Amino acid sequence: MKGLLIKDLKLLMGQKQFFVTVCGLGFLFTFVNGDPTFAIPYVAMMLCMFSVGTISYDEYDNGGAYLFSLPITRKVYVAEKYVYGFGLCLVAIMVSAVFAAIVMIARNSWMGNGEFVSVLVVSLVLSAVVLDAMIPAQLKFGAEKSRVALMGFVLAIYIIGYFGYRLLESMGIDLEMVLAAFSGMTLAVVIAVLCGIAVVITMISYLISLRIMDKKEY
């Protein structure tokens, strides 16, 4: 896995203009936006998409056949994509968080430790969900078709949410009371629940990606 991580990091260094542009826009939003934390999820999402894009580089010009002629298993390849993606997003969130904190302290507009931690956790969970959706789609459909697949995925989530809401209504369950119960939880419990959901989704996504890779022919 170390060799794959080095390869992807070199790809990142080869795209310095993209990296600098994303960071520059994120820091610009931090200065001009009323909410300095806006840059945290923005930079994380941009780097999520970049990390998944390395799959296209690997498969370009029949590169997958060459890659798997080396002592690399498909299981290690899939695991590396998740490690690389999550690692890149985590670094992006940490750097953006430090910059946002400096701006808020300079403006004397600190939002509170609890709220700031919530932004970081939500940014990390959203990044995880995006990666968990994009990696299997990219492996299965490639760069172009994966965009259509992801739009279908978002639409499916909307449809499930809509009909789920209607089902709860027909069963006499008050959704507002359920949400009020969640709002009464402590911050630590909410963070634990969100992280638990992200871990479960990641495990499912990883198993799907493994199955896709096992069926691919090079």
Side-chain angles (χ1 to χ4, degrees):
M1 184 182 292
K2 180 180 177 181
L4 291 172
L5 287 170
I6 292 173
K7 171 187 69 65
D8 286 344
L9 287 173
K10 286 186 176 293
L11 283 174
L12 176 64
M13 296 305 297
Q15 297 290 327
K16 290 189 291 290
Q17 290 182 341
F18 170 83
F19 186 70
V20 171
T21 301
V22 168
C23 292
L25 286 174
F27 295 150
L28 178 63
F29 291 150
T30 301
F31 279 114
V32 302
N33 198 293
D35 180 12
T37 61
F38 173 81
I40 299 174
Y42 168 77
V43 175
M45 292 296 177
M46 290 296 101
L47 291 184
C48 274
M49 290 188 283
F50 175 84
S51 67
V52 175
T54 58
I55 297 174
S56 297
Y57 283 103
D58 293 340
E59 295 180 348
Y60 179 74
D61 200 16
N62 203 29
Y66 170 75
L67 188 64
F68 289 109
S69 67
L70 302 173
I72 297 170
T73 64
R74 300 186 182 210
K75 183 177 182 179
V76 169
Y77 178 81
V78 172
E80 187 271 340
K81 291 304 174 187
Y82 283 88
V83 171
Y84 176 70
F86 283 116
L88 205 58
C89 291
L90 186 60
V91 171
I93 289 172
M94 291 173 62
V95 173
S96 301
V98 170
F99 194 79
I102 292 172
V103 171
M104 285 188 289
I105 291 172
R107 292 178 178 176
N108 196 24
S109 59
W110 186 256
M111 61 170 53
N113 294 334
E115 190 175 352
F116 189 63
V117 171
S118 299
V119 172
L120 300 183
V121 173
V122 170
S123 299
L124 183 60
V125 171
L126 286 176
S127 300
V129 172
V130 170
L131 278 174
D132 292 339
M134 291 182 69
I135 291 177
Q138 186 85 5
L139 290 172
K140 178 68 175 178
F141 302 107
E144 297 300 326
K145 293 182 179 179
S146 64
R147 296 189 183 96
V148 178
L150 286 172
M151 285 189 289
F153 175 74
V154 172
L155 180 61
I157 290 177
Y158 174 79
I159 293 173
I160 291 171
Y162 176 79
F163 284 104
Y165 175 75
R166 293 300 182 188
L167 179 61
L168 291 175
E169 278 189 336
S170 65
M171 295 171 62
I173 298 175
D174 190 346
L175 190 59
E176 291 184 0
M177 291 182 63
V178 176
L179 294 175
F182 277 105
S183 64
M185 293 180 179
T186 63
L187 179 61
V189 173
V190 173
I191 289 174
V193 170
L194 288 176
C195 291
I197 293 172
V199 168
V200 171
I201 294 174
T202 300
M203 291 175 64
I204 295 171
S205 172
Y206 174 70
L207 292 175
I208 293 172
S209 296
L210 277 181
R211 187 173 180 82
I212 291 171
M213 282 301 296
D214 286 340
K215 291 185 176 182
K216 291 190 75 168
E217 296 182 0
Y218 291 98

